[in-house]
Amino acid sequence: MAGQIPQGQALLDEIERLREERNAVILGHYYQEPEIQDLADFIGDSLQLAKAAKETDADVILFCGVHFMAETAKILNPDKIVLVPDMKAGCSLADSCPAEDLAAFKAEHPDHVVVSYINCTAATKTLTDIICTSSNAKRVVESIPADKPILFAPDKNLGAWLIKETGRHMDLWQGSCIVHETFSEQALLELKVRNPDAKVLAHPECEPSLLAHADHVGSTSQLLKFAKDSGFEKFIVATEPGIIHQMEKAHPSAEYIPLPGQDETCACNECPFMRLNTLEKIYLALRDLQPRIEMDAETIAAAKKPLDRMMALG
Ligand code: 13P
Ligand code: SF4
């Protein structure tokens, strides 16, 4: 980390200069700090970011999200340099499904179609028949012939919600998101009593007991759309509160109440992995062209197949 890191406006100016010099595109997820969202060339949910990564003509992709998202960008763009601000920005869902464990399950259930949530490692993707995101998960499950048994990995909560929505039985991998699991049903009920006019927006990674109280369940982009278009003026937001920055921009007159975690004194409703990214690390990544996502060609080819199947569904 040689050399001084500029501060304040000079830091923003340097990022701007390097972005041009490197012909880089900065992709940012809705859970990033607002200052990173404001800097990104494109912000979106997992599906939108994967599409943006696929379509970019930049030479360098700087992915401000978590590792599996940057890996997906690399799989879709093997010839481009894909950078992350912090290599330690992982995901508890991806960690919950090691490829060797999924391989053992597959060996015991050779007839199952494996549907994996995009929040998984590239190695897990290579063992998957089709990927989904929370935006298109229903469509992906419905695309599988009715006589085929399904294993859904790694998120048990998204899986349980899909079973309810599609009426389709699936065997569920028992993974979960540490952020969405922390939301307190008790806190939600109290907030609802105090704000009877508020609509509850929830991500399907939340537990079923919490989703039962939601007025709208969807991916980050779907929750944002509902906040913008539904005409309501107050929302309790049961997902990572980074999304509220875009909700406030899209519908500024509304009030947004972030749902706290079990321990209301901590910031545990914020994703600790997403929040590792900072402006300083963005500057360093563009300056040094590091840390870089590197993958072998065999893994890229095998992981691309289930992603392409998802993309082909539109
Ligand atoms: P979205 O695809 O809805 O943005 O979800 C990504 C994620 O990691 C949610 O925790
Ligand atoms: Fe993973 Fe949860 Fe963070 Fe999303 S919010 S990146 S699922 S740990």
Side-chain angles (χ1 to χ4, degrees), residues 31 66 68 90-93 119 177-180 205 240 271 273-274:
Y31 294 166
V66 290
F68 76 82
C91 169
S92 64
L93 270 171
N119 298 34
C177 160
I178 52 166
V179 178
H180 289 84
E205 287 174 20
E240 217 276 7
C271 175
F273 307 108
M274 289 275 183

Side-chain angles (χ1 to χ4, degrees), residues 11 14-16 18-19 26-27 32-33 35-37 39-40 62-64 83-86 276-291:
L11 176 61
E14 271 303 286
I15 291 173
E16 210 40 61
L18 287 165
R19 170 171 24 203
I26 301 179
L27 304 182
Q32 293 294 279
E33 296 286 348
E35 59 189 8
I36 297 180
Q37 295 188 34
L39 183 101
L62 174 57
F63 210 116
C64 298
L83 303 171
V84 290
D86 191 321
L276 283 175
N277 298 332
T278 62
L279 291 181
E280 286 78 7
K281 291 177 191 173
I282 288 174
Y283 160 75
L284 290 170
L286 287 173
R287 189 192 71 179
D288 302 339
L289 293 180
Q290 291 288 349

Side-chain angles (χ1 to χ4, degrees), residues 29 31 45-46 69 117 119 134 180 203 205 219-220:
H29 188 265
Y31 294 166
D45 69 9
S46 306
M69 295 178 176
Y117 189 30
N119 298 34
S134 46
H180 289 84
H203 197 280
E205 287 174 20
S219 67
T220 48

